[in-house]
Amino acid sequence: MNIKNNWWKYLGVLCFIYAITAGLLIPLKPGIAEISEHSLYSGSSVDLSVRGYNTSFAEENYSGYIRLSGSQQIKASGFNVLDNQNAILHFELPHSFEGQEKVSEATLVINSPLHGYAIYPNLRILKPETDIPNNAQWENILEVTEADWKFAFPYRNIIVETIRNTFYHVAIWMAMFVLLTIALVYSILYLRKGNPVHDHVASSFTYISLVFGVIGVATGSVWARFSWGAFWTNDVKLNMVAISMMIYLAYGILRASIDDNDKKAKTAAIYNIFAYAAMIPLIMIIPRLTASLHPGNGGNPAFGTDDMDNTLRMVFYPAIIGLGLIGGWIAQIGIRIKKIDEKLINRALND
Amino acid sequence: MKKILFFLYFSIFTSNILSASDSDFYRSTGKIYGVYGVVLILVLGLIFYLISIDKKLKKIERNLDNE
Amino acid sequence: MKNDFEKIWALISVDLKTEYRNRYDSYGLYLFVMVVSYILYKGTESMDAFSYNSIFWVLILVLSTNFALRAFTKTKEEESYFLYHLVSSYHIIFAKLLYNWIVIFIGGVIFLLSSIIFHSSLESFMTFPIVLFIILLLVSSLCLSSTFSLPSALVLTSNNKGTLLGILSFPISIPITLVCINLGGELISKQTWNMSGLLLLLSVVLIMSTVSLFLFKYNWQS
């Protein structure tokens, strides 16, 4: 192949290989996998046994904190290391915290100068019936010195290793949207100019994005099994996406059921624009109105700063580019096949 | 040349995971199999679509032979 | 502008007149609605308002596919050729949309009235806010007519119209029907509006009708 004209194919394949190898092989950052207690009483002294993921308690100088949702924290007075993954943290909790509520949300933080910090959210601190006064005091949070940057993905509870699916499941949706938008543009072009090549482009791109969409639903179902516990959930986004895939399956059936080529192209182009317009409320508006398991729904913007970090982005964006370019390549092969087919038919008609 | 580059590329990443301590963690939670499944579906899906395109091309080739 | 309204009104009135002339056709559909409500009355001893609500919206969905398909198949070929030279495509699709809206709405009202008559012994049917429910019916029938009008025009060129219309428009109408069932259920249980759901329906109307208006031009030429 000529490199000058086909550089984007090489780029796509390189990005895809990079996304698969880097996405599978780069380790996760240290995290806290399990702690022994989730509800603590203020004023008491507790021993929290902590099980770490990818931590090295024995080799480094870790320190532990319990952080309130405000800007206050208390440092563990004891950090007894059992082995690299297990440690027992001793806390003397102060007898009160700010606010009138009986319960305060808190986060357990462990910090090492070399590997950075790991957090465990969903900790609760309860006010006991009777106050037990003691000397401990909440302290204000000091600036944490950032650890050396390491090429590792962030650790998140529940999803843990499946965070790597961002590069495959989420990226294939993004690539599908790009391909569908290209198909939309060519459908509009066909309606305005009537050039049959534009119809080939639009239909090829729609078919490959339909394949991407089906892959997206299937991969999402596998991911759901591993993080939410079931292959199919009642989640809005999942069901809306399934419906929009049905819309594009209908596109294929529409094309197959009309015999006349000219009429087929025109009807398919009209329906393609119509389907794209119908998909916007399905995927963009409805999931945002209702609570969803997916991140970025229920009013939040998709992919806030909490969901993505720089190491994820370094693989995520190449994955989108790679899948998009490979999709474009496959669509281009489809277009070329259709061109040849049309030429053959014309030649047969002329003979 | 290309082969050497690919070999280097793979060896860098594999050495990273093997030397970065216990690869035990990688499979310790069992969740990594979810990722394997997802990648498998992705690749298989693309391959199936390529096979269907191949079939279409074969049909055209047959037409060409008949002429 | 005034001219536009006149043309659209003329088209709708022509449609309504032909509807009146072949009224036994649409009577059949309306009779079907009443029969369904009677079957529900005789077949189920005590049905709660929520399941009745879902059946209501599914029936509206079936009605709207039937009406939408009829709206275009009724026009004969010579007649459409005649129309092509008189008015623009915008007028035609707009008139069809409004016409569909009216007939779907009438079907819904008939079902509502007959079920109120048959089930008047049930308490839950007496307490729900009927005016709000009719407004919801008004909005949702506009929504359904705007989503069905363009696909029903598209399938005219194909071989089997009924099946293809189902395939083309059901994926779009499923979420609309689901939203309607939710809104209706909320009306029955809480007796209040869910504004965001209503706005969603209105936004679907806006998107679908603008897309239909612009795209119908290309379909009409052929």
Side-chain angles (χ1 to χ4, degrees), chain C residues 135-196:
Chain C
I135 294 173
L136 176 61
L137 181 62
L138 213 61
V139 175
S140 56
S141 50
L142 178 60
C143 202
L144 284 172
S145 83
S146 62
T147 48
F148 277 115
S149 294
L150 186 72
S152 63
L154 283 184
V155 297
L156 281 185
T157 47
S158 77
N159 310 330
N160 50 352
K161 297 174 183 106
T163 339
L164 201 61
L165 178 66
I167 294 165
L168 289 193
S169 53
F170 275 144
I172 311 167
S173 52
I174 288 169
I176 296 172
T177 315
L178 285 178
V179 168
C180 287
I181 289 173
N182 276 337
L183 286 176
E186 217 153 274
L187 270 187
I188 291 166
S189 64
K190 293 183 200 152
Q191 322 239 324
T192 51
W193 283 112
N194 181 352
M195 268 330 258
S196 64

Side-chain angles (χ1 to χ4, degrees), chain A residues 116-139:
Chain A
Y117 61 90
I119 60 167
Y120 190 94
N122 306 329
L123 211 63
R124 285 179 307 160
I125 297 187
L126 311 165
K127 269 185 186 165
E129 295 290 315
T130 51
D131 260 7
I132 316 159
N134 63 357
N135 293 330
Q137 286 291 325
W138 294 105
E139 19 184 290

Side-chain angles (χ1 to χ4, degrees), chain A residues 18 21 24 53-54 158 226, chain B residues 9-10 17 25-26 31 42:
Chain A
Y18 167 74
T21 46
L24 283 176
Y53 176 95
N54 208 1
I158 303 174
F226 276 83
Chain B
Y9 178 80
F10 276 105
I17 185 78
F25 285 109
Y26 197 59
K31 301 240 175 191
L42 175 68

Side-chain angles (χ1 to χ4, degrees), chain C residues 204-220:
Chain C
V204 170
V205 170
L206 208 66
I207 294 174
M208 288 294 126
S209 47
T210 38
V211 169
S212 307
L213 277 181
F214 282 108
L215 291 181
F216 184 68
K217 189 169 75 184
Y218 298 101
N219 196 56
W220 185 241

Side-chain angles (χ1 to χ4, degrees), chain B residues 13-64:
Chain B
F13 275 113
T14 43
S15 66
N16 184 19
I17 185 78
L18 289 178
S19 66
S21 82
D22 340 66
S23 50
D24 308 345
F25 285 109
Y26 197 59
R27 290 183 187 81
S28 66
T29 51
K31 301 240 175 191
I32 192 66
Y33 297 107
V35 186
Y36 289 163
V38 163
V39 173
L40 198 71
I41 288 174
L42 175 68
V43 173
L44 281 184
L46 286 180
I47 287 175
F48 273 121
Y49 189 57
L50 284 176
I51 290 172
S52 81
I53 284 185
D54 191 271
K55 267 185 192 160
K56 231 182 263 169
L57 202 56
K58 210 161 256 169
K59 220 193 222 165
I60 292 173
E61 277 172 346
R62 215 174 290 141
N63 284 346
L64 206 61

Side-chain angles (χ1 to χ4, degrees), chain A residues 188 191-192 240 243-244 246-251 253-254 257-259 263 266-275 277-282 285-286 289, chain C residues 146-148 150-151 154-155 157-160 164 167-172 174-175 178-179 196-197 200 203-204 207-208 211-212 215-216 218-219 221-222:
Chain A
I188 294 172
L191 282 186
R192 307 200 80 176
M240 291 304 143
I243 288 170
S244 54
M246 275 189 240
I247 297 179
Y248 279 98
L249 280 175
Y251 174 87
I253 295 168
L254 180 71
S257 67
I258 301 174
D259 302 325
K263 218 168 242 178
K266 196 171 242 174
T267 316
I270 294 172
Y271 186 69
N272 201 9
I273 300 168
F274 184 72
M279 202 179 62
I280 293 169
L282 287 182
I285 303 175
I286 295 183
L289 290 177
Chain C
S146 62
T147 48
F148 277 115
L150 186 72
L154 283 184
V155 297
T157 47
S158 77
N159 310 330
N160 50 352
L164 201 61
I167 294 165
L168 289 193
S169 53
F170 275 144
I172 311 167
I174 288 169
L178 285 178
V179 168
S196 64
L200 178 78
S203 68
V204 170
I207 294 174
M208 288 294 126
V211 169
S212 307
L215 291 181
F216 184 68
Y218 298 101
N219 196 56
Q221 284 164 359
S222 52

Side-chain angles (χ1 to χ4, degrees), chain A residues 311-325:
Chain A
T311 42
L312 284 178
R313 284 201 186 91
M314 279 177 65
V315 185
F316 181 59
Y317 293 143
I320 297 176
I321 294 169
L323 283 169
L325 289 178

